[in-house]
Amino acid sequence: MTRAIRPALIWALHFVAIYALISAACAPRQLMDVDVMRATASLITLGGAILVLFWLLSAGRAARQTAGDTTDVVIARITWWCALISLCAITLNLAPIAFLGTCTG
Amino acid sequence: MSDTSQTYSGAKRGEPDKSFEEVWATPKGAAVLSSVSHRVVGKRFLITGFIFFLIAGVLALLVRLQLMVPENTFLDSETYNQFFTMHGTIMMFLFAIPMLEGFAVYLIPLMIGARDLVFPRLGAFGYYCYLFGGIIVLSSFIFDAAPMGGWFMYVPLSTSQYTEGMSADFWLIGITLAEIASVTAAIEIIAAILCSRAPGMTLTKMPVLMWYLLVTAFMIAIGFPPLIIGSILLEAERLLGLPFFDIALGGDPLLWQHLFWLFGHPEVYIIFLPAAGMVATMLPVFVRQPLFGYGFAVAAVITMGFLSFGLWAHHMFATGLPVMSLSLFSAASTMVAVPTGVQIFCFIATLSLGKPRMAVPMYFILGFLFIFVLGGLTGVMLAAVPFNLQAHDSYFVVAHLHYVLIGGFVFPMFGALYYWVPHFTGRMMSDRLGKWAFWLMFSGFNLAFFMMHLTGMRGMPRRVASYPAGLGWDRLNMLSTVGAFILAAGIAVFIVDFFRHRTKGPLAGRDPWGAATLEWLYPPVAPGYNFRAIPEITSREPLWDQPNLTTGDPAQIDGALRDSVDHRRETIGSDPISGAPIQILRLPHPTWFPLIAAAGLAILFTGALVSWYWLSGVGAVIALIAITGWMWEPSDSGARRNSGLHDARGKPVSLPVNIVDRRSHLYVGLTGTLLILSALYASILFAGFYLWNTQPDFANATQRPARMFALFTFGIGVALFALSWMSSRIAQFDGPRFLAFAINILLAIGSVGAALTLFLALRPVDPYSTAFAAVGWALGAFTGANMAVVLYWSLFNGLRKLCGCVAAGQTLPDFLLGAYGKATALMVVFTAGAFLVAGAPQ
């Protein structure tokens, strides 16, 4: 079952990382330059998305290889959907950083 | 280990003079308050929650009366503020969450094939905390000190500077006490669903409601701690003057908003998901088809559980956060619509599978779909920053939140009440009156709240006690008030129907709705033990697919634990993942300890409320004594019993009683507890990082902790971790008792040492100097409190060994102490590390 939760967990970690990066660049302490933040966020997003994409494909393969409505198939189906939704969400997390030039828009 | 009931030394005998039925009977008279049965506790939650719902509903009607006409003088501003604050507070904290807890506590064992929850005393304790917390909040009316700062208690309005007297204290202390029920329920739900399923019930054969409740329980475990920490920090500021939110000393009012909404937004999903789970349970019954897309629905629930934590700041779009942050939360808020849509699609697809039977619960399900989808759509509108900025704090938001919460929780709840009331009382409620109730509620609700969209679009702000005439709000407000009273009339019809059905309702037969899930196995009212023998499950819809369960006397169905050789309350314990039977769980009999412990806590909290700290001390002692008595009962591990199950070759299977490993229900429950503690700790860390990042001048000016003592603390933390690890290992392999005793003593000494060095590390820092310094002390205090628990637990385990109360194999307490000690040691190491970093010269 942990297989099904992994993609969502990656989303959570990714969200925290993006939030922390934006806070680092945009809060009064200004720990980081916006461009550095953007590059870091892109790399993190790329890594997370590739990992979740891999799980998505693996779950799809597992679901196809087993017939019927067995526990394995149901788990694979749950994992596939979790991975798909998490992949979209991870990609969307990057959107503000990708589209906005500065902290203030 | 022995297999006979007579000879083994591991577990004490139960009540040998009582029959199986008597062992499970609910105590009579006043002793009913000592009952820990999930059926009793669940119904108490439901009844108390419903009473709070009615109180909050009356307050809402009074608010609507005030707003019915412009420039109304029915309520003065102060009373109006109290009423809308208490309306929101009661609905969110004392009605919605407890009602879902009530349904969960009542239904979980019945639906997964267990005889009770795995921690019945915890359930009873949680209920009493909720009851006493609710009474504290409500008693504020008696003292004319009802909170009036809104249900979210924003600072600086709720600080003592702007809210004198005790009104905010009533809120903070009462709600924190009531929240104990939520976090205990989370642990209870997680452990029960994972550890007490019937033989054969794998995770994917669980009723879908269990998925919803499981995810909700994890959300509570992570979502409630930020509010608990926020409330404690705010109360500490009010009572002790610590400047957590004081802008003059580097505090930040927005910190409260972050902590509040870190809880507040997931709270919406915590309320919605169980209700959606009840819809997913009822809908297939009335369509006579299994739920469409079980896997899709489960995936949607899991992802919603995660994504809902990424939305909190969309309540703060107008506070001046960086635009890039706003866009991140806007994106996440939009994204959560996807899994929500998947779920709704599953419901609609299930509807399309057959011709639905239009019984009363089905009306409420359709009402839910209609209203909640509308609320969801306005939610997507509000997720867009530009629109949000226009609609912020207007009646449009009031309309949206009521569409989501009443559509997403109240309508399914009434459907669920009509559906499960026969299980509670053995009688059916009226179909005719039920439909009247539905149509009145549905039409009244839409009249009241659809108008508020328009009122909001015309610019009417929330939380105003009156408004001038001629702004285009008059007629809309009048219609909203009329709608609110029609909605109330619908609820009144339900109440009349409920009391009428107790005497005049037709008797409910076995499985009156033709349901598929196990709670309907017996004719209502089902016996107190739920299952005479726990049946093996081979299908997700057992009552549809397993004819052996529906023909003949349910008490004669083959299954586990038919024999009751020890005259104890028992149920089967399952592997958390596979669901395979792995142990026999011994469950507690009725006891007064939960009530006394909760009463002690209530006295402690009341003492804090009135600043009688001696009274708090008395309450703490009472609670500690009750908890000690509660825990004194010996662990039953170390024995084996015949489970009544047979292996593939037909041989009887014996199972250990209360196993000592990571699959134990106690270990799973402890893992849930550690999750909550981690979230509490993370909330304080978040506060520290937030202030450090947003108030750099104050953070830089804060005195530094003493690095040498921080280093000592770090070292003791590492030693505590090693000792805790040894405690776990010795317990798991039933090692020498003197060694376990020595480790108990060393852990006690280590925890005192760590607390002392931590205090010395913090001594140079004046907690009143800056908010950042105060958060440092909060971090130290929280870590110290956990070390106090380790100290108490170690001494407790050691004392039991000295008294000769521990028999061979009874090592669970040390095994669990080891796990708790490791988590606390990590906390000590992190805290010491933070102080080392903070103590470095800048």
Side-chain angles (χ1 to χ4, degrees):
Chain A
M1 202 55 233
T2 46
R3 270 178 294 163
I5 295 167
R6 278 183 316 196
L9 208 53
I10 292 294
W11 170 84
L13 292 173
H14 182 261
F15 182 87
V16 170
I18 297 289
Y19 177 68
L21 284 168
I22 293 176
S23 302
C26 301
R29 195 173 273 276
Q30 290 192 314
L31 287 167
M32 192 182 269
D33 185 70
V34 173
D35 288 333
V36 176
M37 181 266 285
R38 183 173 289 122
T40 314
S42 303
L43 275 175
I44 291 171
T45 306
L46 190 66
I50 289 172
L51 191 59
V52 175
L53 187 63
F54 172 74
W55 287 332
L56 177 77
L57 297 174
S58 304
R61 203 176 308 123
R64 279 195 304 275
Q65 281 172 354
T66 322
D69 197 29
T70 61
T71 300
D72 288 344
V73 173
V74 176
I75 297 277
R77 203 176 292 151
I78 293 170
T79 308
W80 192 87
W81 275 94
C82 279
L84 182 65
I85 294 170
S86 301
L87 184 61
C88 296
I90 286 171
T91 312
L92 209 57
N93 281 346
L94 185 67
I97 297 174
F99 294 131
L100 295 178
T102 64
C103 292
T104 52
Chain B
M1 291 186 184
S2 165
D3 257 316
T4 68
S5 62
Q6 306 300 324
T7 57
Y8 79 96
S9 60
K12 73 168 185 179
R13 297 295 297 273
E15 300 177 273
D17 52 326
K18 289 187 176 175
S19 67
F20 178 80
E21 285 75 12
E22 286 168 339
V23 164
W24 282 95
T26 302
K28 298 275 186 271
V32 74
L33 296 175
S34 69
S35 174
V36 292
S37 158
H38 78 102
R39 302 262 293 275
V40 173
V41 174
K43 281 193 272 191
R44 280 182 192 155
F45 266 115
L46 291 173
I47 292 167
T48 314
F50 199 84
I51 290 170
F52 277 118
F53 172 65
L54 295 180
I55 293 169
V58 169
L59 293 175
L61 291 178
L62 294 171
V63 165
R64 280 314 320 166
L65 275 178
Q66 167 66 15
L67 294 175
M68 187 165 65
V69 290
E71 290 160 23
N72 198 355
T73 54
F74 171 63
L75 298 176
D76 60 63
S77 297
E78 189 174 309
T79 311
Y80 178 85
N81 290 347
Q82 289 179 336
F83 282 8
F84 80 70
T85 298
M86 289 294 274
H87 164 72
T89 300
I90 294 173
M91 284 295 192
M92 295 302 277
F93 294 106
L94 303 178
F95 157 63
I97 300 283
M99 282 299 278
L100 78 86
E101 284 163 9
F103 276 112
V105 165
Y106 187 92
L107 289 174
I108 287 172
L110 286 157
M111 293 180 93
I112 62 175
R115 286 178 177 156
D116 206 330
L117 291 167
V118 294
F119 304 130
R121 288 175 296 195
L122 193 65
F125 171 72
Y127 168 74
Y128 286 121
C129 286
Y130 155 59
L131 179 67
F132 295 143
I135 289 171
I136 288 176
V137 173
L138 213 56
S139 66
S140 60
F141 275 122
I142 299 171
F143 301 103
D144 194 22
M148 50 183 154
W151 80 279
F152 33 60
M153 281 286 137
Y154 276 173
V155 294
L157 179 60
S158 56
T159 58
S160 39
Q161 189 182 353
Y162 297 102
T163 303
E164 293 174 353
M166 294 201 301
S167 68
D169 305 306
F170 271 107
W171 191 97
L172 292 164
I173 286 175
I175 292 301
T176 302
L177 181 57
E179 277 166 5
I180 292 174
S182 304
V183 291
T184 55
I187 297 164
E188 182 87 273
I189 292 169
I190 292 168
I193 293 177
L194 291 180
C195 300
S196 62
R197 303 197 298 276
M201 190 180 276
T202 59
L203 281 175
T204 54
K205 284 202 178 80
M206 287 198 304
V208 72
L209 176 59
M210 297 302 112
W211 278 106
Y212 282 84
L213 291 174
L214 189 61
V215 171
T216 303
F218 277 105
M219 291 175 69
I220 290 173
I222 297 167
F224 272 66
L227 177 63
I228 293 173
I229 289 297
S231 300
I232 292 171
L233 298 189
L234 181 51
E235 192 57 27
E237 177 163 331
R238 289 180 59 86
L239 288 181
L240 309 173
L242 291 166
F244 295 106
F245 307 105
D246 183 352
I247 196 108
L249 291 171
D252 192 341
L254 281 190
L255 173 60
W256 168 262
Q257 292 201 28
H258 277 293
L259 290 172
F260 185 87
W261 290 116
L262 266 165
F263 144 83
H265 199 82
E267 152 104 331
V268 174
Y269 291 86
I270 287 168
I271 291 170
F272 163 68
L273 283 180
M278 291 193 282
V279 168
T281 304
M282 294 185 283
L283 187 57
V285 174
F286 295 102
V287 183
R288 299 291 298 172
Q289 294 288 337
L291 181 71
F292 177 88
Y294 178 92
F296 306 154
V298 172
V301 175
I302 292 172
T303 45
M304 276 177 85
F306 279 88
L307 294 183
S308 64
F309 279 93
L311 321 183
W312 81 88
H314 81 206
H315 297 267
M316 301 165 63
F317 278 173
T319 59
L321 295 177
V323 172
M324 206 176 264
S325 287
L326 300 188
S327 305
L328 173 67
F329 287 100
S330 177
S333 305
T334 310
M335 188 62 216
V336 82
V338 173
T340 313
V342 170
Q343 264 189 87
I344 298 295
F345 174 75
C346 287
F347 297 156
I348 293 170
T350 306
L351 266 175
S352 73
L353 293 176
K355 189 172 183 297
R357 206 162 19 119
M358 291 306 290
V360 176
M362 193 64 208
Y363 279 79
F364 282 97
I365 291 169
L366 294 176
F368 149 78
L369 282 171
F370 179 82
I371 295 169
F372 181 74
V373 168
L374 285 179
L377 290 175
T378 52
V380 176
M381 291 165 72
L382 285 166
V385 179
F387 181 83
N388 189 295
L389 290 174
Q390 295 300 316
H392 181 76
D393 254 352
S394 75
Y395 261 83
F396 188 89
V397 177
V398 180
H400 158 70
L401 75 92
H402 283 89
Y403 263 79
V404 169
L405 292 172
I406 296 186
F409 182 72
V410 175
F411 272 78
M413 181 200 80
F414 274 96
L417 285 174
Y418 271 100
Y419 182 78
W420 276 297
V421 155
H423 200 284
F424 306 153
T425 65
R427 290 179 183 271
M428 304 295 286
M429 292 179 73
S430 163
D431 194 61
R432 193 167 57 90
L433 286 176
K435 287 173 183 168
W436 267 101
F438 168 77
W439 283 114
L440 284 168
M441 287 175 66
F442 184 77
S443 53
F445 168 82
N446 281 295
L447 182 62
F449 292 100
F450 188 78
M451 296 306 148
M452 288 187 196
H453 291 107
L454 306 177
T455 325
M457 296 297 255
R458 291 186 179 185
M460 181 168 171
R462 311 166 67 172
R463 304 185 199 99
V464 288
S466 68
Y467 54 91
L471 293 177
W473 305 342
D474 312 12
R475 197 172 302 161
L476 293 171
N477 271 303
M478 172 64 82
L479 288 171
S480 283
T481 302
V482 170
F485 276 85
I486 294 172
L487 170 61
I491 294 165
V493 170
F494 169 84
I495 294 167
V496 169
D497 190 16
F498 182 81
F499 284 109
R500 191 203 60 86
H501 101 289
R502 297 303 304 269
T503 51
K504 294 185 180 162
L507 290 174
R510 187 173 176 181
D511 196 2
W513 304 108
T517 39
L518 274 182
E519 79 272 23
W520 297 105
L521 182 66
Y522 281 78
V525 176
Y529 47 79
N530 293 351
F531 303 95
R532 185 63 187 83
I534 297 169
E536 188 160 355
I537 299 304
T538 57
S539 161
R540 202 179 294 148
E541 284 87 23
L543 297 194
W544 286 354
D545 298 337
Q546 292 183 238
N548 62 316
L549 298 180
T550 49
T551 50
D553 180 2
Q556 300 305 319
I557 292 168
D558 277 343
L561 297 182
R562 176 171 293 283
D563 295 332
S564 174
V565 289
D566 295 315
H567 302 268
R568 291 289 305 267
R569 293 188 173 189
E570 294 171 329
T571 194
I572 282 288
S574 58
D575 180 273
I577 305 297
S578 71
I582 55 166
Q583 61 173 330
I584 294 171
L585 296 179
R586 287 280 161 87
L587 303 171
H589 293 210
T591 165
W592 291 94
F593 286 127
L595 174 57
I596 298 169
L601 278 187
I603 293 169
L604 188 159
F605 278 63
T606 307
L609 178 64
V610 295
S611 300
W612 292 356
Y613 297 111
W614 61 268
L615 189 64
S616 295
V618 171
V621 170
I622 293 172
L624 201 62
I625 291 170
I627 289 168
T628 305
W630 175 342
M631 295 189 346
W632 195 259
E633 189 177 321
S635 153
D636 280 347
S637 48
R640 289 187 80 87
R641 276 287 175 274
N642 185 358
S643 66
L645 297 167
H646 297 86
D647 65 14
R649 287 173 295 174
K651 285 189 173 173
V653 174
S654 71
L655 292 173
V657 173
N658 290 0
I659 54 167
V660 185
D661 74 23
R662 290 183 175 192
R663 298 169 301 167
S664 155
H665 63 301
L666 283 158
Y667 189 87
V668 171
L670 181 66
T671 307
T673 309
L674 294 177
L675 190 63
I676 293 165
L677 290 174
S678 306
L680 288 166
Y681 185 75
S683 301
I684 306 176
L685 275 183
F686 171 82
F689 274 121
Y690 179 83
L691 293 177
W692 177 79
N693 202 23
T694 58
Q695 308 287 339
D697 296 339
F698 286 96
N700 293 342
T702 301
Q703 299 103 326
R704 307 287 158 198
R707 296 185 79 198
M708 188 182 70
F709 287 112
L711 199 59
F712 283 151
T713 314
F714 190 92
I716 296 173
V718 172
L720 278 175
F721 189 90
L723 285 170
S724 303
W725 179 81
M726 285 167 72
S727 176
S728 289
R729 299 295 286 181
I730 291 168
Q732 202 166 2
F733 298 110
D734 201 6
R737 213 165 307 160
F738 74 91
L739 199 55
F741 177 76
I743 288 178
N744 287 156
I745 300 303
L746 286 174
L747 269 175
I749 294 169
S751 56
V752 171
L756 189 66
T757 52
L758 200 57
F759 172 74
L760 292 172
L762 271 171
R763 232 172 67 158
V765 183
D766 174 11
Y768 293 93
S769 60
T770 65
F772 189 61
V775 170
W777 272 90
L779 198 64
F782 182 77
T783 310
N786 278 285
M787 282 183 288
V789 175
V790 173
L791 171 67
Y792 168 80
W793 199 340
S794 309
L795 293 177
F796 179 89
N797 285 4
L799 186 65
R800 282 182 55 80
K801 290 188 189 83
L802 275 183
C803 296
C805 301
V806 180
Q810 293 184 344
T811 56
L812 253 178
D814 278 337
F815 183 68
L816 300 172
L817 171 61
Y820 189 87
K822 279 188 276 189
T824 304
L826 281 178
M827 217 178 277
V828 170
V829 167
F830 275 121
T831 307
F835 289 170
L836 279 171
V837 173
Q842 300 289 310

